[in-house]
Amino acid sequence: MPELPEVETIKRGILPHIIGRTLQCVKVRRRDLRWPIPTRLNNEMMGQTVQSAERRGKYLLLYFTRGCLIIHLGMSGRLYRVEHNTPYQTHDHVDFIFSEGSLRYHDPRRFGAVLWTTEDPQQHPLLCHLGVEPLSAEFNAAYLYGYTHRLATPIKTLLMNHKIVVGVGNIYAAESLFLAGIHPQCVSRQLTAAQCQLLVKAVKQVLNAAIEAGGTTLKDFCNGEGKPGYFQVKLQVYGRENQPCFKCQTKLQKIILQQRTTVFCPTCQP
DNA sequence: AAATTCTCCTGAAGGC
DNA sequence: TGCCTTCAGGAGAATT
């Protein structure tokens, strides 16, 4: 599932193919994603040129001459380049047809979103309340402690709260907590400042490693062949319930937090 | 105000 | 083989 590293990888992968290119038209085959794709989108976008691309959390922002395309991949969304007239298949909901090649949006579960704004996208209702970027300097121990020391929610839930820090999904929350040696159910306000420091470092390390892995297969990614690179990162706990911990061989445990499967090592994460 | 639960959807996996 | 149930998850919305 697309997490921050994959969105970053997609951004880097498609940018060279669309920057400076002019949009000829948008073909929408299915409009009912998480929110309906705006009907005015085609008319307003047509003839505009891509100026730049940006990632905010798991949102992908494509800035055009006058307006910005906001894309979220939800859980099963994919965005990749195809040659003109590539036959479409099930769940290929949108084609953005450029002067050379197209961008295709594919999303079986339709949890994703394709939106358009002519205002500052950072002020968009979906983006304006988002917390800090996990890889920025703003996400540091003091910032995290500012939230943890007064909240009673499990630390994993807090880590996945996008009003606090964006882009950390179920996989990387679990992986970061393992790396930091913190129990996912630990009540936030029981965390020490030192533990916050460890956790911040762990989040950055895990995300950076994943982005780097994505980068190695960037070429495959653009061609729409192969698998997203971040699966190459060896996951320590996610999806490994009942298997031995790589560090200490203890059997990994599974609990449910916020209706999300959460795997951890009872020995390494006391 | 904070914390928890619900909701959308499809495909994969497991059970009988 | 085939049909059924269960599960997976991002994150806004609704509820406690």
Side-chain angles (χ1 to χ4, degrees), chain A residues 150-177:
Chain A
R150 61 187 173 88
L151 294 174
T153 193
I155 183 58
K156 178 177 179 251
T157 303
L158 188 148
L159 210 50
M160 292 175 66
N161 181 345
H162 296 323
K163 288 178 181 168
I164 299 175
V165 58
V166 296
V168 182
N170 203 36
I171 296 176
Y172 293 116
E175 294 296 309
S176 302
L177 286 162

Side-chain angles (χ1 to χ4, degrees), chain A residues 127-158:
Chain A
L127 300 176
C128 65
H129 297 299
L130 292 179
V132 301
E133 284 289 328
L135 296 175
S136 74
E138 291 173 287
F139 184 58
N140 54 44
Y143 175 85
L144 184 60
Y145 189 75
Y147 285 98
T148 57
H149 87 276
R150 61 187 173 88
L151 294 174
T153 193
I155 183 58
K156 178 177 179 251
T157 303
L158 188 148

Side-chain angles (χ1 to χ4, degrees), chain A residues 243-258:
Chain A
Q243 295 177 47
C245 172
F246 288 132
K247 261 198 210 165
C248 75
Q249 312 308 316
T250 302
K251 191 163 129 180
L252 298 180
Q253 276 186 21
K254 165 185 159 176
I255 53 174
I256 304 292
L257 281 180
Q258 263 204 324

Side-chain angles (χ1 to χ4, degrees), chain A residues 2 12 25 31 58 65 82 101 110 119 128 149 155 161 167 220 230 245 250-252 257:
Chain A
R12 295 180 188 183
C25 72
R31 203 170 283 283
K58 295 178 189 171
T65 320
V82 294
R110 312 205 316 278
E119 323 240 313
C128 65
H149 87 276
I155 183 58
N161 181 345
D220 292 341
Y230 70 90
C245 172
T250 302
K251 191 163 129 180
L252 298 180
L257 281 180

